[in-house]
Amino acid sequence: MDKPSTIAWRRRRAAVAKHWREFAANKAGLTGLVLLGVITVLAILAPVLTDESGLDVTKVTGGPLEPPSGEFWLGTEINGRSVLLMTYWGARISLLVGFSAAFLSVLIGTVIGIAAAHFGGWLSSLLLRFTDFFLVLPSLVLAVVLAAVLDRNTATVIIAIGVTAWPSTARLVRAQTLTIESRPYIERSKALGGGHLHIVGKHVLPGVMPLVLANTTLVVGNAVIADATLAFLGVGDPNAISWGAMLQAALNNGAITRGAWWNLLPPGIAIVVIVLAFTLVGRALETVLNPRLKGQHS
């Protein structure tokens, strides 16, 4: 006779396998996942596959704003550094900020959403008003203010994005938690003496995590855009090689007026590609994990 825990794990593995088959049937989502996998692996291996010294302005071999050539496939920027190398290394910062800020945002939103739905009463009212306050404020403006006030580094950018992007997750988690806690087995659990930690840990979290996972991929894409925007506005990490900083440098150094399109297109296209990949994966996960969207995969 199998133990209840063994049966539960078997059911979870079967559910994961079922969800994976449904996700794999979504060609757009699978394409986005493969693209993200390739970009992530290449970004991690950047120190191995490339020479980081090429990012040092004192060690460059190219001239200012050289057009694409056999030596520099995407040309050079104002300081003579390879645009291809900078775009490649920029993926590391974008992914680091994207994943870290999304994790912070989703963590805050999940905690507030579950607390507001589970405990109710005055705590729910307080948390909902707190959430509404952040929803009313433009998140980008608030992130710019935080990034400008705090020390300018990558950690500040992550915090600025993470603490301003959580309200949508909180509302999603609250709605899903209310749905779960209206089911009969929650009442049975309470009648049998189940406490708050038991109900949240055993019933609510497993129920909300699939939608949180799908939402997280979309949040990462938004965080990448926010990071590029902050860098372009001049409040990002001044020492980091990022796509937004490359666009800002191209604007400030006259690359646009000089017709140096190779300074603009690579980082711009990179932002579009990585955000598109996260969006494709997020939409596919929503289709698989949200019962109301079943069968709407492409």
Side-chain angles (χ1 to χ4, degrees):
M1 190 75 173
D2 292 334
K3 296 180 180 179
S5 59
T6 304
I7 296 175
W9 276 109
R10 186 181 303 160
R11 289 176 177 174
R12 288 170 186 170
R13 287 195 297 268
V16 170
K18 177 175 176 289
H19 289 326
W20 168 249
R21 288 193 297 269
E22 294 177 356
F23 181 88
N26 189 311
K27 296 180 180 179
L30 193 60
T31 300
L33 182 62
V34 171
L35 190 58
L36 281 180
V38 172
I39 293 174
T40 302
V41 171
L42 289 177
I44 293 173
L45 295 178
V48 178
L49 300 178
T50 64
D51 184 5
E52 188 178 359
S53 64
L55 300 174
D56 189 343
V57 295
T58 64
K59 299 179 181 179
V60 297
T61 58
L65 299 179
E66 288 187 8
S69 62
E71 183 180 3
F72 301 104
W73 291 1
L74 294 180
T76 64
E77 44 88 70
I78 193 67
N79 295 312
R81 293 177 292 182
S82 168
V83 174
L84 176 60
L85 183 63
M86 294 180 68
T87 304
Y88 186 14
W89 276 79
R92 292 170 64 87
I93 293 296
S94 292
L95 289 175
L96 173 63
V97 173
F99 282 118
S100 301
F103 174 79
L104 178 60
S105 171
V106 169
L107 178 63
I108 296 173
T110 301
V111 171
I112 291 179
I114 290 178
H118 178 75
F119 293 102
W122 65 268
L123 180 60
S124 177
S125 299
L126 177 64
L127 292 177
L128 287 178
R129 298 294 78 77
F130 184 63
T131 303
D132 290 340
F133 172 76
F134 274 88
L135 281 174
V136 171
L137 291 176
S139 59
L140 180 60
V141 174
L142 185 56
V144 169
V145 172
L146 288 175
V149 171
L150 302 175
D151 292 336
R152 292 177 57 188
N153 52 49
T154 302
T156 295
V157 174
I158 292 172
I159 294 172
I161 297 173
V163 300
T164 58
W166 57 265
S168 59
T169 301
R171 285 194 167 274
L172 174 68
V173 171
R174 176 180 176 273
Q176 183 67 7
T177 301
L178 289 174
T179 300
I180 293 172
E181 295 210 351
S182 65
R183 293 170 182 169
Y185 63 81
I186 298 294
E187 293 297 329
R188 290 198 299 268
S189 181
K190 291 180 179 178
L192 293 173
H196 296 302
L197 289 178
H198 174 80
I199 293 174
V200 172
K202 292 290 186 180
H203 301 297
V204 176
L205 271 179
V208 302
M209 285 310 296
L211 289 182
V212 169
L213 175 62
N215 182 67
T216 300
T217 57
L218 300 175
V219 174
V220 175
N222 292 335
V224 170
I225 295 177
D227 170 54
T229 303
L230 292 177
F232 182 76
L233 294 176
V235 291
D237 186 348
N239 300 317
I241 302 295
S242 67
W243 295 331
M246 292 175 65
L247 292 174
Q248 184 205 34
L251 177 64
N252 293 341
N253 296 324
I256 298 177
T257 57
R258 300 184 193 183
W261 53 267
W262 54 89
N263 274 207
L264 299 173
L265 286 184
I269 293 175
I271 294 172
V272 171
V273 169
I274 200 167
V275 172
L276 176 62
F278 276 115
T279 302
L280 291 176
V281 173
R283 295 305 181 193
L285 284 175
E286 278 188 335
T287 302
V288 171
L289 300 176
N290 192 335
R292 292 175 297 179
L293 301 178
K294 287 289 186 182
Q296 296 185 16
H297 54 75
S298 56

